[in-house]
Amino acid sequence: MKPINPIQLKQLIEASLFVLAKPLSVKAIKETVLADFSVSRTRIQETLDELQQDYQERGVQLVKVASGYRFQTQEILSAYLQPLWQDKSPKYSRATLETLAVIAYRQPVTRGDIEYIRGVAISSNIIKSLADRQWIKVVGHKEVPGKPALYATTPAFLDYFNLTKLADLPALTDADSLHALFEKAQLSMDSPLKLDEIVKPANTIELDQQDAAVNN
């Protein structure tokens, strides 16, 4: 194994993050671009921390998401940078984002669970579009007749919404943060999402189900 000085280490990590279009973890950095060098994960992490400080006040910042570290522009600059892209980002219907919100907050859930919480049937195209976007995936099947698929979010979902873990999701009672989070996906209609009403806490859903059973 070859030694590497601090300047070379920072340069190599910085360059690797710039050229790759996806996040890199400490483990991935060590096993790829630094595979031939004698460097510990602790040293790599310390260098990443230094880079974050270096870019803190820049237009481009180094951020940590679920899959690792990546460079991205400051969010407040996005509106000014939009003209640089000819192709507009895909927009999602209110039903799609509400479905995503239900999965994010109540996972793992079946399609029936989602329909119960939202109070309406959902199109297969909605589930397909979220799966194609790699924001959700099937993580198992519920042990009930028919064994329906159980859906959960993916690391790609966390990465897109700048989250490192599910615990970073805003509280359901924080309406402003909820709207700010899901508006990143560009809602294709003017009416606002009422996520705090649609995505009920687990105990509320259970009570509703109990009431329904009693009434029946």
Side-chain angles (χ1 to χ4, degrees):
M1 290 287 190
K2 297 180 292 185
I4 185 170
N5 66 51
I7 294 176
Q8 291 174 322
L9 178 61
K10 181 180 284 191
Q11 289 175 337
L12 193 50
I13 292 176
E14 182 180 32
S16 63
L17 290 168
F18 261 116
V19 300
L20 198 63
K22 63 180 182 179
L24 269 176
S25 65
V26 171
K27 180 176 183 290
I29 293 171
K30 180 174 174 59
E31 294 178 353
T32 54
V33 294
L34 297 175
D36 295 331
F37 296 96
S38 177
V39 56
S40 67
R41 293 191 185 185
T42 299
R43 192 175 170 199
I44 295 171
Q45 183 63 64
E46 290 172 350
T47 304
L48 285 165
D49 293 341
E50 290 178 15
L51 281 169
Q52 280 190 303
Q53 290 296 318
D54 293 346
Y55 281 88
Q56 193 169 16
E57 302 300 326
R58 306 282 291 275
V60 174
Q61 295 181 321
L62 180 60
V63 300
K64 184 179 181 181
V65 292
S67 300
Y69 290 84
R70 70 181 178 198
F71 280 111
Q72 64 183 45
T73 57
Q74 284 202 44
E75 188 173 349
I76 59 172
L77 303 178
S78 60
Y80 303 101
L81 298 173
Q82 196 62 42
L84 294 174
W85 286 274
Q86 293 182 352
D87 296 330
K88 292 184 178 180
S89 300
K91 292 187 177 182
Y92 297 91
S93 68
R94 173 173 171 163
T96 299
L97 293 188
E98 288 175 357
T99 298
L100 178 61
V102 172
I103 295 172
Y105 280 92
R106 295 282 292 120
Q107 59 188 301
V109 291
T110 66
R111 179 172 172 172
D113 295 331
I114 299 167
E115 291 177 337
Y116 177 83
I117 294 168
R118 292 193 60 236
V120 295
I122 60 171
S123 166
S124 297
N125 289 333
I126 289 178
I127 297 294
K128 183 178 184 302
S129 68
L130 291 173
D132 289 345
R133 192 67 172 79
Q134 297 185 339
W135 284 348
I136 66 169
K137 65 179 179 180
V138 175
V139 294
H141 292 82
K142 194 170 185 177
E143 292 300 324
V144 296
K147 292 191 174 180
L150 286 164
Y151 296 98
T153 54
T154 65
F157 162 81
L158 295 174
D159 291 347
Y160 184 88
F161 290 98
N162 287 334
L163 303 169
T164 57
K165 55 187 180 301
L166 287 173
D168 293 334
L169 283 166
L172 293 177
T173 53
D174 188 352
D176 290 340
S177 296
L178 284 169
H179 287 297
L181 177 71
F182 286 96
E183 278 177 358
K184 292 178 184 292
Q186 297 193 45
L187 186 62
S188 64
M189 58 190 303
D190 295 331
S191 57
L193 291 175
K194 295 183 178 179
L195 299 173
D196 49 334
E197 295 179 8
I198 293 166
V199 189
K200 301 178 182 179
N203 58 347
T204 303
I205 296 169
E206 291 167 0
L207 288 172
D208 287 348
Q209 291 173 331
Q210 291 172 8
D211 291 343
V214 170
N215 292 333
N216 290 336

